[in-house]
Every structure is written in structure tokens, then in C-alpha cells.
Amino acid sequence: MIDHRYKGFVCKKVNYNDNDAIISVLTSSKKEVFKARGILKVTSKNASSCNYFMISEFLTSSKTELSNQSLKSSSSIKIFKKPYEDLLVSGCYLFICSLLDQVSEHINGYDLAIKCFEYFEEDKHPINVLNYFLKYLCNGLGYQSNLKGCANCNNKNNLVSFEIESGGFICNNCFDATRYEKMTPNFLKEVYTFLSKEDYYELNDTHNIKLLGVYSKFLKDVVGLNISSYEFILKCL
């Protein structure tokens, strides 16, 4: 048997049989998947460290390097407290986990996720943290917005809309009412500032929620990701 040891956080957990689960863990290098037999039993010593909202160390084994892994033991390294205290934070945390699980073959967002989890712990606005995550997730997937002007013609004046699929901002000359939504100048200015800054930037609450809707629609309709956690987040607002 070959042992594998790694550190990461649970990004997906699927129960099967009566007491077992298939657990996906995102690490700094890749996603690891293993069977955890008996993990749902009350007496399981590994149950607490195989939950969401924490960084844990996992020891698994497999017959060969490529065969399925099974959990031998696990221990928690750090627990994020805010998801247990705030339902909105919990929803945003799980949304991040769900998205990273789905795109793990294309990008590794481990470091970005940890940064966002730390922002939650610092009491930063959960929706703003989520938008910060989504900005860099979209960039990583190859959808970085053009900030030099209209995505179609580079016109810097009379920008009236923003759409990620089209490449960013849309001017009045290129606006198509059947495709784009007219947006207020204040919203577009704040989105521009948000996108142009590498560091964390706070949007106002109304713009935060609207931008989250833009990102979520894009990820669902264009990228084809499951965004069921988004509906839960809306209920928590």
C-alpha cells in the first residue's frame, strides 16, 4: 500500500451507503479525492476534521499511485469560525468551494480561496469577498475584462453596460437592447474601480449584489457551472 499525506480544505462531500462518503479536498497543488469509510458514524475519529470550514491534514492510502484512495486518518489544522456564526458567510464559503470543485481541472484556486476565507474571518462584507473571488476566478478561466474602453470598439465615452462574455464594458454605439442591460453610470464607475484594483476593494451594498448577479448569470449561462448555492445566498440577504 502507498500512503499519501496532504493539507487542504474539503470542497465537496458526497454521502453514500449508510456511513461512508466520497470527499474531495483542494490542496495547493491539485484536488484529491478519497473514500472515507465510516465517516458518518458518531464514533468516527475523523468526522470532525473532514467537514467544511477548516483546513485539515489527511493521510490516505492506495494500492498504486493511480488507484482509488481511502482515508486512514485526518486532523484539523485551522477552523474558520465565521461560517458557523453567520449564515451568509456560510453560503458564500460553500459557493466558493462548489465553484472550485467544478473548475479544479482547469485552475487551482487554493491560495485565492484561503485569502477569501481569511477575509471572512476579518469581518469583511461576505458578498464583497465573494465578488473579489469571482473576479479572479473569471480571470483565471480566461475572461478578463477590457478596461481600456468599450469591449467592441474601445470607445472610452458613453459606456452604458457591462457584460463579461463580451469582454467588459459596452458603449452606447455598440449597445444592443436584445443582448445587453443598460446600467447606471455610478454602477459602471464602481465596477471599473473594482476591476482595476488588484487588492480588495469595497463596493456599496446595492452594487455588490448587482455585480454578484452578473457574475452568477455568466458562470451559469456561459461557463455552464452549477450555481445552486447562489439561490441560497440570496435567501440569506
Side-chain angles (χ1 to χ4, degrees), residues 143-159:
Y143 295 97
Q144 189 163 1
S145 297
N146 172 29
L147 299 181
K148 296 180 180 179
C150 174
N152 294 328
C153 69
N154 284 325
N155 180 12
K156 295 178 174 59
N157 301 315
N158 299 317
L159 301 178

Side-chain angles (χ1 to χ4, degrees), residues 6 12 18 37 76 107 126 130 132 154 162 190 222 229:
Y6 40 83
K12 187 177 182 180
D18 292 331
R37 293 186 175 86
S76 61
I107 62 173
L130 185 54
Y132 174 85
N154 284 325
F162 174 76
E190 197 163 27
V222 179
S229 297

Side-chain angles (χ1 to χ4, degrees), residues 87-88 228-237:
L87 200 58
L88 180 56
S228 56
S229 297
Y230 171 64
E231 298 300 327
F232 176 77
I233 290 172
L234 293 181
K235 293 177 182 178
C236 295
L237 293 174

